[in-house]
Structure formats: C-alpha cells, structure tokens
Amino acid sequence: MDKTENHLDQLKEIREMMTRSSKFISLSGFSGIWVGSVALIGMAAIFYNFPDYFYLRFAHNNDAFPNYMLQGADLAGFIRFVIVDAALILIFAIAGALILTMNKSKRQGVSLWNNTAKRFLVSMMVPLVSGGLFIVIMAYHGLFGIAGPLTLIFYGLALFNAGRYSLIEIRYLGLLEIALGLLAALFIGYTAIFWGIGFGVLHIVYGVVMYLKYDRK
C-alpha cells in the first residue's frame, strides 16, 4: 500500500514539474483583484469629474461614427483627464500585478523570466500592439466611437492567445472580454459601463477564482 502511495506521489510531482515547465503559472489571484480594483477606481474618477460624458450617446445617421462626443466646452479637459487617468491605471495595474506575480514565483521556487514566460508575453503582446496601432489608425480617421469596444476585443484576443501558455482560466477571461467588446460595439453609447465590467469586475472575479483554486493552500 505504501509503495502504491509513493508511486502516486511521484507521478503527481512529475506532472506538476511538467506543468510548471510548459505553463506560465506564476500569475497571482491577487494580481487580478488588484488590476480590477485599480480599473474601477479609475472609472469612478472619470464618473465623478465628468458625469455628463460618462454615458455617451450615439446618434445613428448616414455618417459612420460621427463626432458624437465633440460637444461642450469641457471636451478638451475630458480628453486630457481620460488620457492621464488611463495612463495611471495602466502604470499602477502593471506595477502591482508584477510585484504580486514576482512574490508568487518566489514562493513557488520558479523563475519568473523563463522560456514559458517569454512565450506567454510574446503571444499576448502581438494582439495588444497590433490592436493598439489599429485603434490609433481608427482614431486618426475620426472613428472614435469604435475605439472603446476595440480595446476590449483586442485585449480579449491577447488573453486567449497567451492562455495556451498558462492556465485555462486566462482563455475563459479572454473570451468574456471579447464578448463584452462586441456588446460594447452594439451599444456604442455605453462603452464606459462595459469597460468597468471588463477591466474591473471580470478581473476581480477572475482573481478570486484563481486565489481559491490555486493560491490558497
């Protein structure tokens, strides 16, 4: 009986070693909670300072995505605030997630920057960079309305693509982000709400699930 248990333990250790070598598993559940919380704080800041611009309306006519938001004296201030707010969200979210992930990798005794992590990062950056450039091009042509939904869609594609080098929950999160992006494109005036759900709520839910399933031991 003891020999059987020893063999099972050895097989379990071998499987865990193979998983660690082929999957990027250092992502912390707390990092998802942190990213989602920072995103919600940033969205709350926009709503508090510019409540009139939070729910943008889209008037359907013969023009493709007309300048529906180019109204009001506070537009320039609103755009500056959103750019700064988004930059701060990105900086704090990445910094916090990186620190939490580094701490988890140390506890696991796994190198954070290994070949699997590199493949994960490259797989994620290709859709993100190409999507970001595409959004800039759309904005250059005056198609501002589609920029918001596209951020969710390309972010979801990046997660789904990189998920093959990580845990399956990453791919599920990516699919949900894509679905929210498509809904945001359908209900173009409520992009801010879908942003809050996609970048805020979903990340928090993902983080809680990851913590309960993998981190809590």
Side-chain angles (χ1 to χ4, degrees):
M1 189 68 179
D2 292 337
K3 291 183 178 180
T4 303
E5 291 180 353
N6 289 334
H7 287 311
L8 291 175
D9 291 338
Q10 291 176 359
L11 289 174
K12 183 178 180 181
E13 290 178 1
I14 293 173
R15 185 175 64 179
E16 289 178 352
M17 291 175 62
M18 293 178 64
T19 300
R20 289 185 179 184
S21 63
S22 61
K23 298 288 184 181
F24 181 58
I25 60 175
S26 296
L27 291 175
S28 169
F30 283 118
S31 65
I33 297 173
W34 168 260
V35 170
S37 299
V38 171
L40 288 179
I41 292 173
M43 296 301 298
I46 296 176
F47 178 75
Y48 179 80
N49 288 278
F50 296 91
D52 293 336
Y53 285 94
F54 197 77
Y55 302 104
L56 299 176
R57 297 294 184 268
F58 176 73
H60 292 279
N61 53 34
N62 293 328
D63 296 328
F65 298 103
N67 296 331
Y68 61 94
M69 42 180 302
L70 301 182
Q71 298 176 4
D74 294 332
L75 176 63
F78 169 73
I79 294 176
R80 286 195 298 268
F81 186 89
V82 169
I83 293 175
V84 173
D85 186 73
L88 290 174
I89 290 174
L90 185 63
I91 292 172
F92 280 103
I94 292 177
L98 183 60
I99 292 172
L100 291 168
T101 301
M102 289 174 62
N103 291 336
K104 182 178 178 181
S105 66
K106 289 180 180 178
R107 292 195 304 269
Q108 293 177 328
V110 179
S111 175
L112 179 62
W113 189 243
N114 51 34
N115 290 331
T116 304
K118 293 176 183 177
R119 288 194 293 268
F120 177 87
L121 184 61
V122 171
S123 297
M124 190 167 184
M125 291 306 298
V126 170
L128 283 180
V129 173
S130 58
L133 293 174
F134 181 72
I135 291 171
V136 171
I137 293 172
M138 292 298 98
Y140 173 78
H141 289 293
L143 305 179
F144 300 103
I146 201 62
L150 284 176
T151 57
L152 288 166
I153 293 173
F154 278 105
Y155 178 61
L157 289 172
L159 291 177
F160 187 82
N161 192 45
R164 56 184 169 172
Y165 299 112
S166 187
L167 301 171
I168 190 63
E169 286 79 7
I170 297 288
R171 308 200 87 177
Y172 293 152
L173 178 61
L175 290 174
L176 290 174
E177 297 286 357
I178 294 171
L180 279 175
L182 294 174
L183 287 173
L186 183 62
F187 302 101
I188 204 71
Y190 302 93
T191 296
I193 297 176
F194 291 105
W195 271 5
I197 297 173
F199 293 116
V201 176
L202 282 185
H203 275 104
I204 293 175
V205 173
Y206 157 81
V208 171
V209 171
M210 294 291 285
Y211 172 77
L212 295 176
K213 190 172 181 179
Y214 300 105
D215 297 349
R216 188 179 64 174
K217 292 183 179 179

